[in-house]
């Protein structure tokens, strides 16, 4: 169990009573809260006018904002000294020792299309290092979480430890990306080269792809143009399950950008070699 | 409620006592049966050797076969005079008045990748016309069914009537296809032209895409190379929800091949116009 120092005390400069809290249960509270907020907006039909970017009711944005506010409020009450970075409401105290990273609806296209492959990402960074992450899918009632050392799953099939596959070669690997359209120019050629070598490719997974990598069903996830909040909450899950995640250049992934996640070190090296010809 | 004539009597040439049965409840039994059979195989990790086409345990094929056999047995017990067409075990009495069409796991790639977008398709054809269809997703516990006149949904959000969107123009439409790789040669160009005009495109939906069309969240599904058992069970759902489904040439879709499903007649015509330049 990962513990962090918190306290329901008001934010203050001086010393205050610290209490050690069960951190996993706190993140579960955030997941409960955001799930309850988002679900009433899922599969609410959009009128064509809304989809075309017109004014009016936009369920994804509404759900995104409501869930982020609910989580921010809950974090502020329990950890007033922690920083916050969210997709909708930006950064607050992001130089703090502990910073929360929130993406209420990762996979907005899936959400709009009624497909249950979107998820709520909740991450915690300690002194710059992602130290805890959760992906919550409230419609299916699935949770994937990890702390970089271990990763776990809870859902319709029960509870289990997450472990990546032992796949070592691209030609035996299941590859996924949200959409081939995310790769432009040279990256498009690089991705196509990888796709040609992989056993099979599947599109349309969003955050779910990384969770299925952690669970051993997908072997490689390759994406581009990610924001830091898209990937930070997933890093402790992938690494906790035994996987490797970096940029396409092999650097630390927490800034986002182009991302490669793989089941094993050997597979990861092979993917980088193919992408960086 | 659609009713068909059946009877638990043994198959015989002469006349036998006919009884009118509640057909929806019978298809629900088939869905229960196949779901129970398939679920233990879902998210069973595949070894690289299996994925690479080696011998040994292949959970998708095992689940596919076991579920089809279970459904065939149940149908045979209750409707001994009905014909059967299944993905795994082929056709039997397919000239009968009523013919069942079964695809235990539509979306095998999604299944292998651990993504819950596969589904069990159960259809019934009466004198050549698809008259009832169901898509069952046992992991999420969702069912979509219809008889060409109406269509319904049951799942985590409760029960509801399915209705397609009122979208009339491609530039306001959400388009989906399982993968862009399914379109070859001229069809590839045709699909790309449609994709350029659509509001947004989402890949990776399989049978789920048609169900989300029926539910009003997706406006167009375009695919190619479908088998008849891939599409027959979905036709009464799409049409029952108010949608239109044909081949790319505008012909009846029950033979499979290249398929266009759209939310409205006007949208469907516009899609055919763009694809058939």
């Amino acid at each position: 169990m990962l513990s962090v120092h918190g306290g329901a005390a008001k934010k203050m400069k001086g010393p205050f009573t610290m209490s050690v809290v069960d951190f996993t249960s706190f993140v579960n509270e955030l997941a409960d809260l955001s799930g309850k907020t988002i679900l009433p907006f899922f599969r609410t039909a959009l009128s064509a006018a809304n989809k075309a970017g017109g004014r009016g009711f936009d369920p994804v944005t509404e759900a995104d904002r409501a869930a982020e506010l609910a989580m921010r409020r809950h974090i502020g009450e329990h950890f007033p000294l922690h920083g916050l970075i969210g997709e909708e409401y930006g950064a607050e105290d992001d130089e703090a020792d502990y910073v929360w990273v929130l993406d209420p609806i990762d996979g907005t296209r899936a959400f709009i299309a009624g497909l249950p492959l979107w998820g709520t990402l909740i991450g915690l960074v300690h002194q710059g290092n992602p130290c805890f992450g959760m992906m919550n899918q409230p419609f299916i009632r699935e949770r994937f979480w990890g702390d970089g050392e271990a990763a776990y799953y809870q859902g319709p099939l029960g509870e289990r430890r997450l472990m990546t596959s032992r796949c070592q070669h691209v030609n035996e690997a299941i590859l996924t990306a949200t959409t081939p359209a995310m790769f432009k120019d040279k990256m498009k050629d690089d991705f196509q080269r990888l796709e040609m070598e992989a056993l099979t490719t599947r599109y349309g997974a969003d955050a779910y792809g990384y969770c299925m990598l952690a669970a051993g069903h997908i072997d490689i996830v390759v994406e581009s143009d990610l924001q830091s909040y898209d990937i930070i909450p997933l890093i402790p899950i992938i690494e906790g399950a035994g996987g490797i995640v970096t940029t396409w250049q092999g650097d630390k992934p927490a800034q986002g950008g182009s991302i490669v996640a793989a089941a094993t070190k050997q597979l990861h090296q092979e993917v980088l070699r193919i992408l960086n010809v």
Side-chain angles (χ1 to χ4, degrees), chain A:
Chain A
M1 186 188 81
L2 177 70
S3 298
V4 293
H5 298 280
K10 277 202 150 202
K11 204 164 177 176
M12 47 181 121
K13 296 270 181 207
F16 64 97
T17 310
M18 303 265 269
S19 61
V20 175
V21 298
D22 174 350
F23 186 62
T24 309
S25 81
F26 179 74
V27 178
N28 274 314
E29 285 169 29
L30 292 178
D32 291 343
L33 204 57
S34 57
K36 217 166 54 184
T37 310
I38 294 169
L39 270 190
F41 295 94
F42 183 52
R43 296 202 181 158
T44 305
L46 282 167
S47 75
N50 290 136
K51 287 189 298 186
R55 304 123 309 204
F57 181 68
D58 169 1
V60 197
T61 309
E62 296 287 327
D64 233 341
R65 288 187 183 156
E68 189 172 320
L69 279 182
M71 288 192 283
R72 279 180 178 255
R73 197 175 303 125
H74 199 63
I75 292 168
E77 280 165 11
H78 288 78
F79 300 104
L81 297 183
H82 289 189
L84 274 165
I85 297 173
E87 193 212 356
E88 289 289 331
Y89 293 98
E92 203 178 318
D93 287 335
D94 58 353
E95 303 285 300
D97 234 31
Y98 282 102
V99 178
W100 293 86
V101 179
L102 307 173
D103 187 0
I105 302 178
D106 178 89
T108 49
R109 277 191 199 203
F111 189 96
I112 292 171
L115 302 169
L117 294 190
W118 52 276
T120 301
L121 303 181
I122 304 168
L124 184 63
V125 174
H126 180 231
Q127 297 177 351
N129 297 310
C131 64
F132 194 95
M134 180 178 279
M135 191 284 249
N136 182 48
Q137 212 314 311
F139 183 74
I140 307 179
R141 294 175 166 274
E142 291 193 290
R143 280 178 194 178
F144 303 77
W145 69 97
D147 63 8
E149 299 294 322
Y152 303 92
Y153 165 82
Q154 192 182 41
L157 303 180
E159 275 196 56
R160 56 172 83 165
R161 179 95 186 257
L162 294 171
M163 306 276 269
T164 58
S165 78
R166 284 169 296 171
C167 182
Q168 303 201 329
H169 299 292
V170 171
N171 63 6
E172 294 170 352
I174 298 180
L175 165 67
T176 186
T178 296
T179 167
M182 75 198 320
F183 307 110
K184 311 285 181 210
D185 308 325
K186 178 175 182 306
M187 289 180 89
K188 193 174 168 176
D189 299 336
D190 296 338
F191 180 77
Q192 274 179 354
R193 208 162 47 241
L194 182 68
E195 200 175 358
M196 292 282 287
E197 295 209 22
L199 178 62
T200 183
T201 305
R202 170 88 197 175
Y203 303 117
D206 295 293
Y208 223 95
Y210 297 94
C211 294
M212 287 301 107
L213 178 106
H217 307 299
I218 285 172
D219 307 300
I220 308 168
V221 185
V222 171
E223 302 209 286
S224 73
D225 287 332
L226 295 196
Q227 300 295 322
S228 60
Y229 50 74
D230 289 331
I231 192 66
I232 283 175
L234 296 164
I235 296 169
I237 305 174
I238 298 165
E239 293 182 347
I244 316 284
V245 52
T246 67
T247 65
W248 282 30
Q249 287 71 45
D251 299 324
K252 287 196 172 181
Q255 301 300 318
S258 62
I259 295 292
V260 172
T264 62
K265 201 173 234 181
Q266 191 170 343
L267 181 62
H268 182 261
Q269 284 170 351
E270 210 177 290
V271 173
L272 288 192
R273 217 161 35 233
I274 294 169
L275 289 176
N276 292 301
V277 164

